[in-house]
Amino acid sequence: MLVVAKSMDDVDDTFFLLRTLLFIAGLVILLGALVGGWAIATRVLHPLTEIVLTARTIAANARGTRIAGLSRRVRRPPGHDEMTQVVDTFNEMLAALEKVASAQRRFVADASHELRAPLTTIQGNLSFLLRHVDELPTEERRTMLTDAHEETLQLAGLVEGLLLLARTDASAEMPIAVREKADKTVAGHAQQESLLELDHAVLHLVRQLSRRLSVEGSRLKLEVGRIEPVRVRGDEESLRRAMLILLDNAIKYSSTADEAGAGRVKVSLEQVGKEAVLQIRDNGIGIDAADLPHIFERFYRADRARSRLGTGLGLSIAQTLVERLGGAITAESTPGQGSIFSVWLPLAK
Ligand code: ADP
């Protein structure tokens, strides 16, 4: 019997080496995967963590009507993937909120300032009158009372304008479906979006204003140009109010325009494509090019308009009302020669 044997040490050594190598390689790969995974996850999730942190900080700092931290922005990760879009959208939302918050702060400050000015005059005049009522000549007393009366009119106009703006803003915030259902009010009147014969509404308003002008003994000529029959969708009260604001302005800023003859205001209504265009032209004081881009801002009044009574709220109210009906108002003007205000409204189908 012959027994042949060979030592397995070589094979065992090779297996051992292989196992060790495999183990070490596996360990390295696992570690690499862990580190890589952790790095990728942190890179991907980091912006999300920042978004959560920013949102929490803003929510925690909101008190009453004050909201702080809107100037914060989340760092934009490199690339153009979904995460970048999320961060960009979040930052855009913050920027929009910041703009609204600062506009609101400015509005409250402006409103308080505008309300305080007439109140100071009224208070001053009345307290002076109370102290010196017996010594003052009748003429001076009358002047002081007239001033105080004019300031009360200004105050009443401001309060009415502010109230109207608040209501218009509140109803613009409602979703359209709720707004239609609410059937509520812009100025305390029932507001229903219905088919409206704009030409009739315009002519009716012009007749009313003509009567008012003749009662007041005004020399201003209120003329009617081309009036085409057009129908639009909208609530009559909003449209009437917007048109009245524009017509009142045209009258107010032209009444002393022409020394040789009285001012002229011309109203026309035409169909242009799929829109109705109501134009109100005047030959009044006009608007400087530097003022023109700002006249629809709340409380904005051009210097050349300041000699006339006004609040600076009319045009912004008219614009809000018209925009709610899907329309727009544009203005053109030549200083010293006159202005044209155009109301564009989509025609009813
Ligand atoms: P208000 O007339 O009460 O000052 P508005 O908001 O109606 O406020 O108008 C803002 C400003 O736009 C006015 O102060 C005036 O400077 C200018 N403006 C508006 N309409 C006219 C117009 N028809 N002619 C000249 N300026 C105008």
Side-chain angles (χ1 to χ4, degrees):
M1 192 178 185
L2 178 70
V3 178
V4 181
K6 191 177 183 303
S7 162
M8 293 288 286
D9 282 358
D10 274 1
V11 179
D12 282 350
D13 282 353
T14 313
F15 268 124
F16 179 73
L17 189 69
L18 210 65
R19 259 205 312 267
T20 315
L21 275 176
L22 271 176
F23 181 72
I24 292 173
L27 214 64
V28 169
I29 290 172
L30 192 73
L31 255 160
L34 271 174
V35 171
W38 179 79
I40 291 173
T42 330
R43 202 188 83 77
V44 170
L45 293 182
H46 181 71
L48 276 185
T49 321
E50 257 197 76
I51 289 178
V52 172
L53 260 172
T54 311
R56 276 206 188 129
T57 317
I58 291 171
N61 285 325
R63 298 261 181 287
T65 53
R66 263 188 323 124
I67 186 156
L70 289 175
S71 56
R72 288 175 71 129
R73 295 291 176 271
V74 174
R75 232 171 316 126
R76 192 176 191 274
H80 291 286
D81 51 13
E82 281 78 4
M83 188 52 75
T84 332
Q85 278 181 28
V86 170
V87 170
D88 282 349
T89 316
F90 186 75
N91 283 340
E92 276 166 28
M93 185 191 73
L94 285 181
L97 285 175
E98 191 184 12
K99 215 168 123 190
V100 169
S102 99
Q104 242 165 20
R105 270 198 298 275
R106 210 175 46 236
F107 177 67
V108 172
D110 286 351
S112 324
H113 177 264
E114 295 292 328
L115 288 169
R116 207 175 54 186
L119 265 178
T120 312
T121 313
I122 295 168
Q123 209 178 16
N125 281 17
L126 290 183
S127 64
F128 187 84
L129 275 169
L130 273 175
R131 270 186 279 125
H132 304 283
V133 70
D134 298 325
E135 317 133 39
L136 279 177
T138 319
E139 200 46 45
E140 207 160 318
R141 255 185 290 165
R142 187 184 298 278
T143 314
M144 294 197 84
L145 278 173
T146 312
D147 281 355
H149 180 240
E150 266 179 20
E151 294 298 330
T152 24
L153 291 182
Q154 172 79 354
L155 209 55
L158 265 168
V159 172
E160 198 200 336
L162 287 171
L163 218 62
L164 199 60
L165 267 178
R167 283 184 180 142
T168 324
D169 281 352
S171 69
E173 273 165 24
M174 280 189 223
I176 289 171
V178 181
R179 217 158 72 203
E180 276 168 1
K181 257 199 189 163
D183 183 28
K184 258 258 132 177
T185 122
V186 163
H189 304 269
Q191 172 201 334
Q192 251 164 344
E193 296 216 346
S194 50
L195 264 189
L196 186 75
E197 288 173 338
L198 195 55
D199 46 320
H200 288 200
V202 170
L203 289 173
H204 183 64
L205 194 59
V206 170
R207 268 197 296 274
Q208 276 185 340
L209 280 175
S210 299
R211 271 199 296 274
R212 193 186 86 191
L213 287 173
S214 78
V215 168
E216 287 169 1
S218 166
R219 286 198 302 143
L220 185 128
K221 288 197 191 84
L222 184 54
E223 296 171 357
V224 178
R226 188 178 166 78
I227 301 281
E228 290 180 3
V230 288
R231 293 205 298 178
V232 295
R233 232 167 230 297
D235 72 284
E236 194 165 354
E237 182 52 32
S238 295
L239 272 174
R240 208 188 82 87
R241 193 168 278 272
M243 292 191 293
L244 191 60
I245 288 170
L246 297 178
L247 278 163
D248 266 340
N249 275 354
I251 293 168
K252 181 164 67 177
Y253 296 115
S254 1
S255 46
T256 54
D258 191 351
E259 290 299 319
R264 275 169 63 173
V265 173
K266 191 167 179 177
V267 186
S268 65
L269 177 67
E270 284 176 61
Q271 181 177 334
V272 177
K274 287 185 176 161
E275 285 177 297
V277 188
L278 170 74
Q279 277 200 328
I280 297 163
R281 295 163 183 266
D282 65 65
N283 66 343
I285 58 172
I287 305 161
D288 287 336
D291 292 316
L292 205 54
H294 303 289
I295 55 170
F296 291 96
E297 290 168 14
R298 294 173 181 187
F299 298 114
Y300 191 88
R301 303 200 73 206
D303 280 342
R304 58 166 75 219
R306 290 196 177 266
S307 57
R308 290 141 220 249
L309 253 149
T311 60
L313 288 177
L315 285 182
S316 60
I317 294 172
Q319 189 181 47
T320 315
L321 292 174
V322 169
E323 281 180 354
R324 279 187 56 216
L325 301 176
I329 307 182
T330 54
E332 301 155 59
S333 188
T334 314
Q337 288 188 27
S339 316
I340 308 173
F341 281 82
S342 309
V343 181
W344 302 74
L345 285 165
L347 290 174
K349 291 201 183 77

